[in-house]
Amino acid sequence: MSALTLDSLLAFEYEGWQSLCESQGGAFYGAMMSADAVMILVNGMVLHRDAVVASLNDSPRWDSFEIREPSLVDLGDKAAALVYRARAVRGDDEPFVALMTTTYRLISGEPKLALYQQTTIPH
């Protein structure tokens, strides 16, 4: 059985969001991301693993989040992408709503986050 199932990858996403709600995102993503991983954010920033870890250590925490409509895209024996709609709230700011794609690959038998991209959903 593959470690790259919808349920297992969705569990990682929940853990990641929860770490952002607890100001532990740098530690979580530092351990979860592959050495060559990249995150592409809605503001156009492209961050490599070390920059992600550093930026999350200083980021304000999220108050709450929702993951909706998750689906898995099978990319072969050693990779899969999780696609979902996210809604997150921080303080009195407008909710952050976007489509997320997180691509995982097996490295030494363990799922690692290799590529993450956010796409804004217009209000």
Side-chain angles (χ1 to χ4, degrees), residues 12-70:
F12 290 136
E13 292 297 310
Y14 274 102
E15 286 180 56
W17 277 101
Q18 191 60 44
S19 75
L20 297 173
C21 291
E22 297 169 355
S23 296
Q24 299 294 317
F28 177 83
Y29 286 100
M32 193 68 214
M33 295 175 76
S34 65
D36 60 346
V38 174
M39 286 192 173
I40 304 167
L41 307 180
V42 294
N43 64 5
M45 291 181 69
V46 177
L47 301 175
H48 294 272
R49 182 184 173 277
D50 291 344
V52 169
V53 171
S55 71
L56 291 178
N57 285 337
D58 297 324
S59 293
R61 70 178 57 210
W62 289 99
D63 296 324
S64 64
F65 68 93
E66 297 173 14
I67 294 176
R68 298 179 182 167
E69 304 169 32

Side-chain angles (χ1 to χ4, degrees), residues 30-122:
M32 193 68 214
M33 295 175 76
S34 65
D36 60 346
V38 174
M39 286 192 173
I40 304 167
L41 307 180
V42 294
N43 64 5
M45 291 181 69
V46 177
L47 301 175
H48 294 272
R49 182 184 173 277
D50 291 344
V52 169
V53 171
S55 71
L56 291 178
N57 285 337
D58 297 324
S59 293
R61 70 178 57 210
W62 289 99
D63 296 324
S64 64
F65 68 93
E66 297 173 14
I67 294 176
R68 298 179 182 167
E69 304 169 32
S71 64
L72 184 74
V73 179
D74 185 353
L75 300 173
D77 290 343
K78 297 189 179 195
L82 182 66
V83 179
Y84 61 94
R85 180 181 302 260
R87 182 180 187 279
V89 177
R90 181 185 281 151
D92 293 330
D93 294 345
E94 286 290 317
F96 171 70
V97 180
L99 295 175
M100 310 292 186
T101 302
T102 310
T103 303
Y104 291 88
R105 66 181 181 188
L106 291 178
I107 298 176
S108 300
E110 294 295 320
K112 293 291 182 180
L113 188 157
L115 176 64
Y116 171 81
Q117 182 167 356
Q118 302 172 337
T119 303
T120 301
I121 300 173

